[in-house]
């Protein structure tokens, strides 16, 4: 009877610990390639690797819109947002920021008949095509000082279509994203060009919100060791990321 009572006590304790474990939602909200694609995408593959390596942390992967993500942020739900940056959100949101998980070179994309260089962006009065609600390094400052103008599109596809029709001078994209759009929209091939040099670099990280200190230490350790992971290198190669 004593042994049975002890086993019941241990079972109750473990059940209690499981019930009280923090459930962290991994928010896959960046809707353009290579981050989201019809067949998974970089964020999904990254999240699967994270979940595999951190078995002691309870994750729930979800694809969602940025509007849905903003609602979850307001509700103080425990969140992990891969490949993101704090300046894309309300500056008062108390995010934890991991070590950089991806250093992404962002290039200038323009029409082949009117190629725009990195130097042109900073020196000429041009029309920039950017996604509605998105912030861009370098570009935002140039727009604010009226060095260039901006037109906001509902999607990257629309920005590319407008660039093809010469209804703007340039947009900015990472190489991996640009070349995947060329595969998805064959009409773009041979008509656009990408700058040889990047305009700027995005240092993408994981943003954490309402995550316990113990769990965040494990998550950040995962980020610290990512560059040494052969599985992560395989994932990057799969999505044509340098």
């Amino acid at each position: 009877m004593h042994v049975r009572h002890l086993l019941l006590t241990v079972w109750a304790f473990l059940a209690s610990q499981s019930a009280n474990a923090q459930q962290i939602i991994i928010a896959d909200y960046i809707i353009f390639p290579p981050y989201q694609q019809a067949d998974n995408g970089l964020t999904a593959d990254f999240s699967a690797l994270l979940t595999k390596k951190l078995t002691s942390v309870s994750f729930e992967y979800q694809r969602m819109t940025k509007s849905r993500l903003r609602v979850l942020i307001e509700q103080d739900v425990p969140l992990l947002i891969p490949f993101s940056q704090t300046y894309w959100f309300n500056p008062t949101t108390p995010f934890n920021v991991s070590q950089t998980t991806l250093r992404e070179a962002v290039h200038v994309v323009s029409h082949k008949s009117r190629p725009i260089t990195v130097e042109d962006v900073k020196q000429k009065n041009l029309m920039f095509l950017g996604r509605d609600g998105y912030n861009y390094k370098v570009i935002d400052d140039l727009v604010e000082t009226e060095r260039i103008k901006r037109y906001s599109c509902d999607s990257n596809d629309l920005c590319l279509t407008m660039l093809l029709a010469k209804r703007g001078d340039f947009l900015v994209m990472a190489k991996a994203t640009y070349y995947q759009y060329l595969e998805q929209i064959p009409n773009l091939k041979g008509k656009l060009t990408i700058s040889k040099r990047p305009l700027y670099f995005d240092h993408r990280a994981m943003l954490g919100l309402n995550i316990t200190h113990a769990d965040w230490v494990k998550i950040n350790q995962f980020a610290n060791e990512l560059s040494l992971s052969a599985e992560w290198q395989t994932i990057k190669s799969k999505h044509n990321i340098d």
Side-chain angles (χ1 to χ4, degrees), residues 64-75 88-89 133:
M64 64 184 66
T65 63
K66 191 168 185 178
S67 296
R68 173 60 179 161
L69 175 56
R70 285 177 175 145
V71 170
L72 294 179
I73 290 172
E74 291 174 0
Q75 293 176 343
W88 295 346
F89 298 92

Side-chain angles (χ1 to χ4, degrees), residues 9-21:
T9 301
V10 171
W11 178 87
F13 172 77
L14 293 175
S16 174
Q17 291 296 101
S18 177
N20 293 329

Side-chain angles (χ1 to χ4, degrees), residues 14 50 68 94 140 155 157 210 215:
L14 293 175
L50 175 67
R68 173 60 179 161
D140 291 349
S155 66
D157 301 58
N210 300 311
D215 283 348

Side-chain angles (χ1 to χ4, degrees), residues 125-181:
N125 185 19
L126 302 170
M127 175 64 77
F128 168 71
L129 300 170
R131 285 203 58 183
D132 186 35
Y134 277 60
N135 297 322
Y136 299 88
K137 289 180 182 176
V138 180
I139 298 296
D140 291 349
D141 289 339
L142 292 171
V143 172
E144 186 175 347
T145 57
E146 300 184 345
R147 296 281 297 280
I148 63 175
K149 298 177 182 178
R150 171 175 176 163
Y151 181 87
S152 295
C153 319
D154 289 337
S155 66
N156 283 338
D157 301 58
L158 182 56
C159 285
L160 288 163
T161 300
M162 291 184 67
L163 184 61
L164 191 62
K166 300 180 182 179
R167 294 178 60 189
D169 295 302
F170 75 102
L171 50 84
V172 295
M173 275 187 181
K175 273 190 176 181
T177 300
Y178 171 70
Y179 285 116
Q180 290 195 47
Y181 270 118

Side-chain angles (χ1 to χ4, degrees), residues 73-92:
I73 290 172
E74 291 174 0
Q75 293 176 343
D76 293 329
V77 173
L79 290 169
L80 187 68
I81 312 171
F83 307 121
S84 206
Q85 300 188 77
T86 55
Y87 79 93
W88 295 346
F89 298 92
N90 187 322
T92 63

Side-chain angles (χ1 to χ4, degrees), residues 33-225:
Y35 299 96
Q36 272 191 19
Q37 297 176 167
D39 181 18
N40 286 335
L42 177 63
T43 306
D45 289 343
F46 175 85
S47 302
L49 178 62
L50 175 67
T51 302
K52 174 185 173 183
K53 295 298 183 181
L54 299 186
T55 54
S56 62
V57 182
S58 181
F59 293 112
E60 180 185 345
Y61 166 83
Q62 291 185 20
R63 275 196 175 188
M64 64 184 66
T65 63
K66 191 168 185 178
S67 296
R68 173 60 179 161
L69 175 56
R70 285 177 175 145
V71 170
L72 294 179
I73 290 172
E74 291 174 0
Q75 293 176 343
D76 293 329
V77 173
L79 290 169
L80 187 68
I81 312 171
F83 307 121
S84 206
Q85 300 188 77
T86 55
Y87 79 93
W88 295 346
F89 298 92
N90 187 322
T92 63
T93 304
F95 286 118
N96 287 321
V97 184
S98 77
Q99 295 294 315
T100 297
T101 53
L102 193 66
R103 182 175 180 266
E104 185 176 66
V106 180
H107 294 252
V108 177
V109 178
S110 55
H111 199 283
K112 201 166 187 177
S113 67
R114 304 194 304 205
I116 303 296
T117 66
V118 168
E119 290 73 22
D120 290 337
V121 169
K122 299 176 182 179
Q123 297 172 6
K124 296 185 178 181
N125 185 19
L126 302 170
M127 175 64 77
F128 168 71
L129 300 170
R131 285 203 58 183
D132 186 35
Y134 277 60
N135 297 322
Y136 299 88
K137 289 180 182 176
V138 180
I139 298 296
D140 291 349
D141 289 339
L142 292 171
V143 172
E144 186 175 347
T145 57
E146 300 184 345
R147 296 281 297 280
I148 63 175
K149 298 177 182 178
R150 171 175 176 163
Y151 181 87
S152 295
C153 319
D154 289 337
S155 66
N156 283 338
D157 301 58
L158 182 56
C159 285
L160 288 163
T161 300
M162 291 184 67
L163 184 61
L164 191 62
K166 300 180 182 179
R167 294 178 60 189
D169 295 302
F170 75 102
L171 50 84
V172 295
M173 275 187 181
K175 273 190 176 181
T177 300
Y178 171 70
Y179 285 116
Q180 290 195 47
Y181 270 118
L182 291 187
E183 292 300 318
Q184 292 179 13
I185 312 174
N187 191 42
L188 299 175
K189 287 186 177 180
K191 298 174 183 177
L192 302 180
T193 185
I194 187 168
S195 63
K196 292 181 180 179
R197 294 197 299 111
L199 179 64
Y200 61 85
F201 289 90
D202 264 338
H203 293 265
R204 294 176 177 264
M206 290 182 283
L207 304 185
L209 188 65
N210 300 311
I211 295 175
T212 65
H213 176 72
D215 283 348
W216 182 251
V217 168
K218 296 172 186 175
I219 291 167
N220 201 38
Q221 184 64 28
F222 169 84
N224 284 333
E225 298 172 354

